[in-house]
């Protein structure tokens, strides 16, 4: 998959959802999530793991925003905090002009109809004691959307939409393959007609041959229902294929963001440059310089001063060790947090 050249399919929908270009659905402002490190009999807090440390971006209606980076960079935590599956340490998340961090429990419960998630592991994200029909129908009951025959009809429709048979509603998750289980997870996420879906590495646990099928399904569903995605992954080929814009995270920080084609053709941050050099080239006649990052990723408990990437950067300067770079526009909406002039 990493080196495969994917081509987006043409949606089968005859009337794709029209979205006003540039209209912002969600805005994230200076989001932080720290986890306490405790020590001793009395569990005294001695430090904090800075999983997400001041991340800001927006998501436009109808687009797919990809978040990519090494394991432990904070991308999954960002997705969970956005949905308030975890509470933030600081920061704001504005959804359709409303700061959701200030909502009470019942207000947040109602808003969850608009925001859903597809989990990474299709084997652990589905309750093995529930039938597929109950799994997909449960959100409808909780939110009072449909019950009885109306719910069963909606479940059958959703199964067909994701490429499964309506007869599968009576089966249990263990009777399905990994790809089929992830389709069930997609159907569950669609049950309440959400506007935003956070896709938390939805293909990383699947076989390579199945990954492209799930990605194509997500693209088709987006065109048919006007969905907005935040697509979290570490597979660079998958992110390039499905994303309109891509943000690169490193050690809890957003270090670069641009349109997908621009970012992959012209990476500006040294970390992004190294990531792109690691993508396998399917054409054996083409050669690409491989940039090998030296050293290990620093601890998020005690991140380096200045630029967090300076301990592994081949262009490091004195200012990098002392001053943290701001995320700035270097032209055409291409954002980069680096002291280099590129």
């Amino acid at each position: 998959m990493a080196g495969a050249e994917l081509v987006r399919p043409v949606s089968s929908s005859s009337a794709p959802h029209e979205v006003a270009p540039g209209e912002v659905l969600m805005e994230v402002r200076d989001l932080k999530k720290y986890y306490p490190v405790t020590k001793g009999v009395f569990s005294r807090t001695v430090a904090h793991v800075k999983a997400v440390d001041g991340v800001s971006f927006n998501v436009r209606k109808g687009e797919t925003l990809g978040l990519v980076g090494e394991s432990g960079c904070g991308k999954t935590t960002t997705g969970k905090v956005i949905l308030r599956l975890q509470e933030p340490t600081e920061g704001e998340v504005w959804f359709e002009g409303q700061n959701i961090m200030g909502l009470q429990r019942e207000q947040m419960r109602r808003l969850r109809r608009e925001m859903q998630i597809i989990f990474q592991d299709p084997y652990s994200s589905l309750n093995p004691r529930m039938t597929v029909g109950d799994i997909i129908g449960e959100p409808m009951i909780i939110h009072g959307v449909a019950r009885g025959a109306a719910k069963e009809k909606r479940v059958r429709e959703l199964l067909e939409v994701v490429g499964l048979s309506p007869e599968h509603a009576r089966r249990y998750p263990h009777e399905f393959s990994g790809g089929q289980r992830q389709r069930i997870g997609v159907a569950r996420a669609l049950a309440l007609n959400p506007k935003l879906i956070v896709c938390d590495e939805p293909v990383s646990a699947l076989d390579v041959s199945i990954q492209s099928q799930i990605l194509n399904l997500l693209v088709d569903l987006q065109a048919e229902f006007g969905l907005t995605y935040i697509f979290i992954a570490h597979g660079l080929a998958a992110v390039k294929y499905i994303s309109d814009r891509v943000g690169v995270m490193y050690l809890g920080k957003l270090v670069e963001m641009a349109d997908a084609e621009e970012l992959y053709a012209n990476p500006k941050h040294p970390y992004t440059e190294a990531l792109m050099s690691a993508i396998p080239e399917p054409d054996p006649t083409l050669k690409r310089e491989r940039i090998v990052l030296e050293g290990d990723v620093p601890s998020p408990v005690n991140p380096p001063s200045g630029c967090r990437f300076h301990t592994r950067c081949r262009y490091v300067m004195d200012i990098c060790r002392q001053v943290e770079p701001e995320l700035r526009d270097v032209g055409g909406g291409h954002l980069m947090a680096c002291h280099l002039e590129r």
Side-chain angles (χ1 to χ4, degrees):
M1 179 86 191
E5 193 65 30
L6 300 172
V7 179
R8 285 198 177 195
V10 177
S11 172
S12 59
S13 172
S14 60
H17 181 85
E18 295 295 331
V19 177
E23 190 175 351
V24 174
L25 177 68
M26 172 178 283
E27 184 177 358
V28 178
R29 302 177 185 174
D30 197 26
L31 192 65
K32 298 180 181 180
K33 178 60 179 178
Y34 297 170
Y35 297 99
V37 178
T38 59
K39 186 177 181 180
V41 177
F42 299 102
S43 298
R44 181 169 57 92
T45 299
V46 296
H48 288 88
V49 176
K50 300 178 179 179
V52 180
D53 197 12
V55 170
S56 300
F57 59 87
N58 61 51
V59 186
R60 303 165 189 154
K61 289 185 178 181
E63 80 165 344
T64 299
L65 175 68
L67 289 180
V68 67
E70 294 174 285
S71 296
C73 70
K75 55 187 185 296
T76 291
T77 303
T78 298
K80 290 181 178 179
V81 173
I82 283 172
L83 299 178
R84 284 189 66 181
L85 297 179
Q86 296 182 10
E87 294 297 326
T89 302
E90 291 182 24
E92 299 177 348
V93 176
W94 292 76
F95 183 82
E96 293 190 318
Q98 183 179 33
N99 182 11
I100 69 173
M101 296 306 173
L103 298 182
Q104 299 299 316
R105 183 174 180 177
E106 181 58 28
Q107 294 174 308
M108 193 64 213
R109 190 187 73 84
R110 291 195 296 268
L111 185 63
R112 291 196 190 282
R113 292 178 57 175
E114 310 292 345
M115 303 185 296
Q116 292 293 309
I117 185 170
I118 301 170
F119 293 99
Q120 175 181 357
D121 186 1
Y123 291 91
S124 61
S125 62
L126 302 179
N127 190 332
R129 298 179 182 275
M130 297 175 66
T131 65
V132 168
D134 289 338
I135 289 171
I136 298 174
E138 185 179 33
M140 304 180 208
I141 295 175
I142 291 174
H143 291 271
V145 173
R147 290 181 181 273
K151 184 202 72 171
E152 293 176 4
K153 178 182 178 183
R154 174 69 173 158
V155 168
R156 291 194 297 270
E157 291 173 348
L158 287 170
L159 286 171
E160 290 183 326
V161 163
V162 300
L164 296 174
S165 168
E167 306 304 321
H168 289 156
R170 295 191 293 269
R171 299 184 184 179
Y172 288 86
H174 74 269
E175 301 179 63
F176 297 89
S177 66
Q180 288 174 320
R181 291 189 191 196
Q182 199 59 295
R183 289 176 185 268
I184 295 167
V186 173
R188 177 177 59 185
L190 292 173
L192 299 175
N193 294 315
K195 296 177 181 177
L196 173 72
I197 298 180
V198 174
C199 306
D200 182 16
E201 302 196 35
V203 298
S204 63
L206 305 177
D207 292 341
V208 173
S209 60
I210 305 300
Q211 291 182 11
S212 60
Q213 297 179 20
I214 299 300
L215 290 174
N216 288 340
L217 173 64
L218 292 174
V219 171
D220 281 341
L221 293 174
Q222 183 176 45
E224 185 172 354
F225 299 113
L227 299 170
T228 302
Y229 294 142
I230 296 177
F231 188 86
I232 299 167
H234 57 258
L236 297 174
V239 172
K240 179 183 178 182
Y241 169 65
I242 199 171
S243 301
D244 299 298
R245 287 188 299 146
V246 177
V248 181
M249 293 188 66
Y250 182 80
L251 207 61
K253 291 280 189 180
L254 194 63
V255 298
E256 187 166 6
M257 177 173 283
D259 289 343
E261 293 297 330
E262 163 67 14
L263 186 78
Y264 280 73
N266 186 28
K268 294 185 177 294
H269 195 281
Y271 176 61
T272 310
E273 191 177 51
L275 287 181
M276 298 307 171
S277 76
I279 302 176
E281 179 57 62
D283 187 345
T285 65
L286 298 178
K287 301 295 182 182
R288 175 185 292 165
E289 180 190 3
R290 178 71 168 90
I291 302 172
V292 180
L293 296 177
E294 298 181 358
D296 297 323
V297 179
S299 170
V301 175
N302 186 27
S305 60
C307 175
R308 297 190 175 187
F309 186 63
H310 83 256
T311 59
R312 306 172 74 193
C313 182
R314 61 177 180 168
Y315 306 111
V316 62
M317 303 176 290
D318 288 340
I319 190 175
C320 303
R321 300 183 178 93
Q322 302 168 12
V323 181
E324 182 177 335
E326 294 182 358
L327 194 66
R328 57 190 173 89
D329 193 330
V330 294
H334 194 142
L335 306 179
M336 177 182 70
C338 183
H339 292 297
L340 287 174
E341 296 293 335
R342 309 184 78 179

